[in-house]
Amino acid sequence: MVAAGAHRPGPLKQQNKAHKGGKHSGSSQRRAGGRVSVKAQPRRRLRDLNRVDRRHQALQLRRQRKEAVLAEKRSLGSRDGPPHLVVLVPLHSKAAARDTFHLLQSQDSAVVHVDEGRAGGFALLCPRLKQRWRFVTAEAGDLHAVLDLAKVADSLLFILDPVDGWDSAGEHCLSCLFAQGLPSYALAVPGGTDLPPKKRIDARKKLAKAIEKRFPDAKLFPLTTEQESSLLLRHLATQKQRHLAFRDRRAHLLAYAAEFVPGEESDLVGTLKVSGFVRGQILDVNSLVHIVGHGDFQMSQVDSPPDPLSLNPRVVKGQKRNQDMEVQDDSVNGTDEMEEDVKVLMKADPNKQESLQSEVVPDPMEGEQTWPTEEELQEAEASLKANRKVVKVPKGTSKYQAAWIVDDEESNQEDDDDDDEDDDIDDDMMEEAVSQEGESGEEEEEPAEEECETMTVSECLRDDQYDEKVEEDEQMLERYKQERMDEMFPDEVDTPRDVPARVRFQKYRGLKSFRTSPWDPKENLPRDYARIFQFQDFSRTRKHLFRQIEKEETEGASVGWYVTLHVCNVPVSVMESFKEGKPLVLFSLLPHEQKMSVLNFLVRRHPSNSEPVRAKEELIFHCGFRRFRASPLFSQHTSADKHKLERFLRLDAALVVTVYAPITFPPASVLLFKQRSNGMHDLIATGSLLSVDPDRIVIKRLVLSGHPFKIFTKTAVVRYMFFNREDVMWFKPVELRTKWGRRGHIKEPLGTHGHMKCHFDGQLKSQDTVLLNLYKRVFPKWTYDPHVPEPVPWVRSESALPVQEVEMD
């Protein structure tokens, strides 16, 4: 029953259109009713999630990242993971590193294993906290030791002076560490109790102010009591780990013990048994291993000896009496006592083992061709007759090189009518000027050259080394002059007088446009290119390898295991270096990383270096986990297919450094050092690995300059660019330009002394200079040397901090 007085719709009731659903995801989900289609959902569905699902997804990702960070913190230094490796770096000569050691060793319920032979390091075991640490010290002046230990360290502990902070050696060390890649670090200041209370507070404030610039958001830990050392250890154990890409993708370890077994043929080469904790990735016995500073080697087997730093007391029961671990000689190294408990994990498979071949052995008969038939010879001769063009080229020049030598007579005849009239008017005037110049030139013989300044140096008979210092100063002055001249007159050279320019510059060519003109990257390659390896697609290979590392599980020693590696054919010098207290660091190589190729580094000059660095000078490279010596090329960093050579390392721009070196997969940092005459290494540039690409074209440019002698409407007589008529005819097809932006070409030579009539797109100014550009592709020199001499320790000064931040009232 309908209530009385209720509204009844009449026949004229408004009928609205039904909603057209099906054009958005909400309606389709409502129609589906929770049903899911059988076919797989595309990736696009991730963007079609509603707001609640997106919020849940973001929450899950945050939880996963947080759990990964916590798992990494828990595994580091735990029973199942490797010991927490902490490297102490005293940044000042007065920093009390010994006091820091004693405070760290004085932990309650901790077992201390002292390594007397390894630069005073020690291991700290805390069963109550279920943590274990290994502390190693490295002097800031020992550059190679600091950089090698920083490659594998979990944390760096910088020891500062309470007053001066760090000295010049510490500043140099910090610059190198920041460029290589800094792992997690902490700052500690031991001592300072001998200062008066007021000066102690002032020194603390000024030191904190200086640290803010170098270490933003870093906390300064005082180290005077055992409680403060406990806080420092807790901070090292709980801080977030900073990752270095070049070590996280490769298995690596720091040697804890080593033994050298001489070979049967020679005592100088044998098997090196290196024991340590695996870090980074799973270690495969079939892969190659790189000993930092010594080269690449193969492994024969991997053993599993008992863990000397185990938190389980049952494992170390037999070693309770000897808690101090000492480095002994190669016959007694701590592993012979446990020879019965050593288990062989794996042995190398010759069929799967990586080869040590680093270069391609070129076949001299590889380019041999079969003799063509008579029909092919006739067809080739007919095609040559049809398109024959006579061009003068140097002996040995290829057809591609001769492509820029074209006949410009037709282009010269296609000038505008106005230009032809101007040329006819100016011809008579130029002939008179040239005849007068020719007569005066015959009388004066040749133009005068620039006068050279001479300087006299007083001799000092009392100092025998004074003359040597003067010679070094003169050489440095000459380099400064060359760098300055290259900045003022880039790529300009003087045309030789004794050799024809067509002979001196016969390997060069002209380009219509440096940016757009073609240049074949496979043309006229040097013989060294037959020795290197090249990828068909380097970026694709790199992505495939990294994907394998992340997803696929390889067989080998897991991270945290204490293993002994049997490294084959190792020189005895490696063991001698370890006995001297040098760190022994090993990295496993990815596939192809032992092979030679052309590496390109993107670097920027370090502000601390101001001396000129010329191309092809021998430099020392620290690339990722490698170091080697090579003579590089410098070139501009552009997005073009050709890159101009730079003769000096620029201070104001990033340059690309090209060398022959073993393949390394980026990302990897690079440091460039230059060795002084006294053996010290100066940091000159820092950067990263750009690519492994032998096809990167580096072009050397030469600029020949001439001066306008007689200027007319659009033509001019140019002299001093060439000095004979044949050179003018030879370089006639090459386009000219001027420093003020005019462009032109050579019309004809005038006389026999190298004068030439040139036509431009506008009238020249009398102070303008006519330029001619020539180009040649250059390649680096094969000077790769994996053996780098140890640097002389850095000379220390009192402080490297600014004076206003260090001086005390």
Side-chain angles (χ1 to χ4, degrees):
M1 296 294 293
V2 179
H7 174 72
R8 296 186 179 94
L12 300 179
K13 176 179 178 283
Q14 180 180 353
Q15 299 290 335
N16 295 328
K17 291 183 178 180
H19 179 69
K20 294 182 178 180
K23 292 187 178 181
H24 55 85
S25 59
S27 61
S28 60
Q29 290 177 1
R30 287 193 297 270
R31 286 197 306 269
R35 295 186 299 273
V36 181
S37 60
V38 178
K39 65 178 183 179
Q41 295 292 334
R43 294 182 180 178
R44 185 176 54 192
R45 182 178 176 273
L46 297 177
R47 297 195 301 265
D48 296 338
L49 297 175
N50 56 27
R51 183 171 60 182
V52 177
D53 293 339
R54 288 197 303 267
R55 187 179 299 170
H56 289 169
Q57 187 183 44
L59 181 61
Q60 290 176 353
L61 291 176
R62 284 197 299 270
R63 286 177 178 174
Q64 290 176 2
R65 286 194 291 264
K66 186 176 179 180
E67 290 175 358
V69 172
L70 291 176
E72 182 182 12
K73 288 182 180 180
R74 295 190 187 105
S75 64
L76 184 61
S78 63
R79 180 173 58 88
D80 299 327
H84 193 137
L85 181 58
V86 182
V87 177
L88 277 71
V89 184
L91 296 180
H92 199 281
S93 58
K94 299 178 182 178
R98 288 290 178 184
D99 297 344
T100 306
F101 271 4
H102 293 318
L103 286 173
L104 293 173
Q105 292 175 7
S106 61
Q107 302 297 316
D108 295 335
S109 66
V111 182
V112 178
H113 292 258
V114 180
D115 307 333
E116 296 292 344
R118 301 184 188 91
F122 68 94
L124 189 66
L125 307 179
C126 297
R128 182 174 58 85
L129 300 176
K130 297 181 180 181
Q131 286 285 326
R132 53 180 179 170
W133 288 271
R134 186 183 174 196
F135 293 88
V136 183
T137 183
E139 290 293 332
D142 192 354
L143 182 63
H144 283 181
V146 172
L147 293 180
D148 290 350
L149 289 173
K151 290 179 175 68
V152 294
D154 297 315
S155 300
L156 294 180
L157 181 58
F158 294 116
I159 310 299
L160 307 180
D161 184 71
V163 178
D164 296 333
W166 55 82
D167 54 11
S168 59
E171 176 69 23
H172 180 68
C173 176
L174 288 176
S175 299
C176 298
L177 288 175
F178 273 96
Q180 178 180 266
L182 200 63
S184 303
Y185 62 88
L187 305 176
V189 183
T193 56
D194 54 343
L195 293 175
K198 186 185 178 195
K199 289 190 176 182
R200 194 184 310 167
I201 296 174
D202 294 340
R204 178 66 179 261
K205 290 181 179 178
K206 292 176 181 179
L207 185 59
K209 186 177 180 182
I211 286 174
E212 286 180 2
K213 298 180 180 179
R214 193 86 197 204
F215 303 95
D217 302 331
K219 186 179 179 182
L220 195 62
F221 289 88
L223 272 183
T224 54
T225 62
E226 296 181 6
Q227 184 179 3
E228 292 174 343
S229 64
S230 300
L231 292 176
L232 177 60
L233 281 178
R234 179 172 295 181
H235 173 74
L236 291 174
T238 57
Q239 69 177 347
K240 184 179 179 181
Q241 293 296 311
R242 303 177 66 176
H243 295 276
L244 300 180
F246 71 88
R247 75 177 185 185
D248 288 342
R249 292 189 172 96
R250 299 169 179 87
H252 55 276
L253 62 85
L254 175 65
Y256 185 81
E259 178 188 359
F260 183 77
V261 180
E264 298 178 356
E265 299 179 357
S266 174
D267 294 340
L268 300 178
V269 178
T271 300
L272 183 67
K273 298 181 180 179
V274 184
S275 300
F277 294 91
V278 179
R279 302 171 184 271
Q281 294 290 334
I282 297 176
L283 180 63
D284 185 10
V285 69
N286 294 317
S287 62
L288 298 180
V289 66
H290 176 80
I291 302 178
V292 177
H294 299 281
D296 303 334
F297 303 95
Q298 289 180 330
M299 293 180 289
S300 59
Q301 72 180 40
V302 177
D303 299 339
S304 176
D307 190 347
L309 304 179
S310 176
L311 291 172
N312 189 351
R314 291 175 296 178
V315 177
V316 295
K317 188 192 311 182
Q319 300 178 4
K320 284 185 177 180
R321 298 180 181 177
N322 299 327
Q323 291 184 355
D324 295 344
M325 301 289 293
E326 297 183 359
V327 172
Q328 304 170 0
D329 55 61
D330 53 352
S331 61
V332 182
N333 62 348
T335 57
D336 292 339
E337 301 176 359
M338 302 174 291
E339 198 68 37
E340 299 178 357
D341 299 332
V342 172
K343 299 179 182 178
V344 178
L345 286 180
M346 63 197 77
K347 289 190 177 182
D349 186 0
N351 297 326
K352 298 180 181 179
Q353 198 171 23
E354 288 282 344
S355 173
L356 280 173
Q357 182 184 3
S358 61
E359 300 178 15
V360 179
V361 180
D363 185 6
M365 302 300 293
E366 189 176 359
E368 184 183 8
Q369 296 180 356
T370 57
W371 189 258
T373 61
E374 293 184 359
E375 297 178 356
E376 292 176 347
L377 290 174
Q378 291 177 0
E379 292 178 0
E381 188 175 355
S383 62
L384 285 175
K385 287 181 179 179
N387 299 322
R388 178 167 292 178
K389 181 173 62 175
V390 179
V391 179
K392 293 183 179 180
V393 296
K395 187 177 180 180
T397 306
S398 65
K399 293 181 180 180
Y400 185 84
Q401 287 176 314
W404 64 275
I405 305 178
V406 295
D407 192 3
D408 284 355
E409 292 182 359
E410 297 179 359
S411 61
N412 292 342
Q413 293 176 0
E414 294 176 358
D415 292 339
D416 296 335
D417 297 334
D418 297 337
D419 296 341
D420 292 336
E421 293 176 0
D422 294 338
D423 295 341
D424 295 335
I425 295 172
D426 297 336
D427 278 343
D428 298 334
M429 300 173 63
M430 281 193 294
E431 288 176 1
E432 293 177 4
V434 170
S435 62
Q436 294 175 3
E437 178 63 21
E439 295 174 359
S440 61
E442 293 175 359
E443 294 175 0
E444 297 176 0
E445 295 181 356
E446 293 178 357
E449 298 181 355
E450 253 186 49
E451 297 182 0
C452 298
E453 296 182 358
T454 59
M455 53 185 299
T456 58
V457 180
S458 60
E459 297 182 357
C460 182
L461 300 177
R462 298 180 180 178
D463 192 354
D464 297 336
Q465 298 180 352
Y466 189 78
D467 291 338
E468 299 178 1
K469 297 177 182 178
V470 170
E471 291 178 0
E472 292 180 2
D473 291 343
E474 289 180 351
Q475 293 177 0
M476 189 59 63
L477 177 62
E478 185 64 26
R479 290 185 179 180
Y480 277 116
K481 285 183 178 180
Q482 293 177 0
E483 186 180 29
R484 181 63 176 163
M485 290 296 293
D486 188 61
E487 291 179 0
M488 296 174 61
F489 307 100
D491 303 323
E492 288 193 30
V493 297
D494 295 330
T495 307
R497 303 293 301 273
D498 53 345
V499 181
R502 62 187 183 278
V503 177
R504 170 64 181 83
F505 306 122
Q506 62 181 347
K507 294 183 179 180
Y508 292 80
R509 71 181 67 171
L511 295 177
K512 182 70 176 177
S513 171
F514 182 81
R515 185 179 62 87
T516 60
S517 296
W519 197 301
D520 188 3
K522 303 297 184 182
E523 174 204 1
N524 289 345
L525 298 178
R527 190 164 184 81
D528 290 337
Y529 263 52
R531 303 163 58 185
I532 65 174
F533 292 84
Q534 183 176 4
F535 294 97
Q536 187 174 5
D537 190 344
F538 177 74
S539 61
R540 181 184 177 188
T541 305
R542 172 178 170 272
K543 290 179 181 178
H544 177 67
L545 285 176
F546 289 173
R547 197 178 298 115
Q548 282 183 337
I549 294 173
E550 294 176 358
K551 294 183 178 181
E552 297 183 5
E553 294 183 0
T554 58
E555 296 182 357
S558 300
V559 178
W561 289 6
Y562 183 78
V563 297
T564 299
L565 310 181
H566 293 246
V567 188
C568 305
N569 300 325
V570 179
V572 70
S573 59
V574 180
M575 188 64 196
E576 294 175 354
S577 174
F578 181 70
K579 286 182 179 180
E580 294 173 358
K582 303 291 183 182
L584 189 60
V585 179
L586 287 80
F587 275 84
S588 67
L589 298 181
L590 299 178
H592 315 297
E593 284 196 328
Q594 79 279 12
K595 301 173 183 177
M596 296 291 292
S597 187
V598 178
L599 271 62
N600 303 302
F601 306 98
L602 180 61
V603 303
R604 186 177 290 273
R605 190 163 175 175
H606 197 263
S608 64
N609 182 266
S610 60
E611 296 182 359
V613 180
R614 193 177 179 86
K616 296 186 180 180
E617 285 189 31
E618 186 182 75
L619 300 178
I620 297 172
F621 289 75
H622 288 243
C623 174
F625 54 89
R626 294 184 186 270
R627 60 171 175 261
F628 55 88
R629 292 186 292 176
S631 300
L633 293 179
F634 303 144
S635 59
Q636 293 181 351
H637 179 50
T638 60
S639 59
D641 60 342
K642 294 181 288 296
H643 312 273
K644 192 179 82 67
L645 175 76
E646 290 289 347
R647 288 175 168 80
F648 290 88
L649 188 62
R650 300 295 182 189
L651 186 61
D652 56 347
L655 297 181
V656 176
V657 177
T658 304
V659 292
Y660 290 111
I663 294 171
T664 303
F665 289 99
S669 59
V670 62
L671 288 78
L672 270 65
F673 293 89
K674 186 177 179 181
Q675 187 171 0
R676 294 185 190 174
S677 58
N678 59 1
M680 296 178 62
H681 291 181
D682 288 335
L683 180 63
I684 62 171
T686 60
S688 59
L689 177 60
L690 180 63
S691 64
V692 180
D693 184 14
D695 288 342
R696 191 177 191 273
I697 301 176
V698 180
I699 302 295
K700 181 180 180 181
R701 183 181 71 174
L702 282 186
V703 179
L704 303 181
S705 58
H707 303 277
F709 174 49
K710 295 289 183 179
I711 300 175
F712 303 96
T713 307
K714 288 189 177 180
T715 56
V717 177
V718 180
R719 60 179 178 178
Y720 300 155
M721 183 178 289
F722 304 108
F723 298 100
N724 57 72
R725 186 181 182 91
E726 290 77 11
D727 288 344
V728 178
M729 295 297 297
W730 182 267
F731 291 98
K732 184 179 178 182
V734 185
E735 186 181 18
L736 301 176
R737 67 179 181 89
T738 69
K739 290 189 176 181
W740 285 32
R742 295 297 180 189
R743 293 187 175 273
H745 59 271
I746 302 173
K747 294 202 69 174
E748 59 181 350
L750 300 175
T752 59
H753 288 74
H755 292 205
M756 53 188 181
K757 184 172 78 170
C758 303
H759 181 82
F760 296 93
D761 57 357
Q763 188 171 5
L764 297 186
K765 301 293 183 181
S766 59
Q767 63 269 33
D768 204 349
T769 304
V770 182
L771 305 175
L772 183 141
N773 294 340
L774 298 176
Y775 303 94
K776 180 185 74 169
R777 184 179 179 183
V778 291
F779 302 90
K781 293 182 179 180
W782 193 291
T783 57
Y784 171 78
D785 186 4
H787 304 290
V788 178
E790 290 290 334
V792 175
W794 192 264
V795 178
R796 291 182 178 271
S797 63
E798 288 299 324
S799 175
L801 296 182
V803 176
Q804 64 269 19
E805 295 179 1
V806 179
E807 285 185 351
M808 308 298 297
D809 295 333

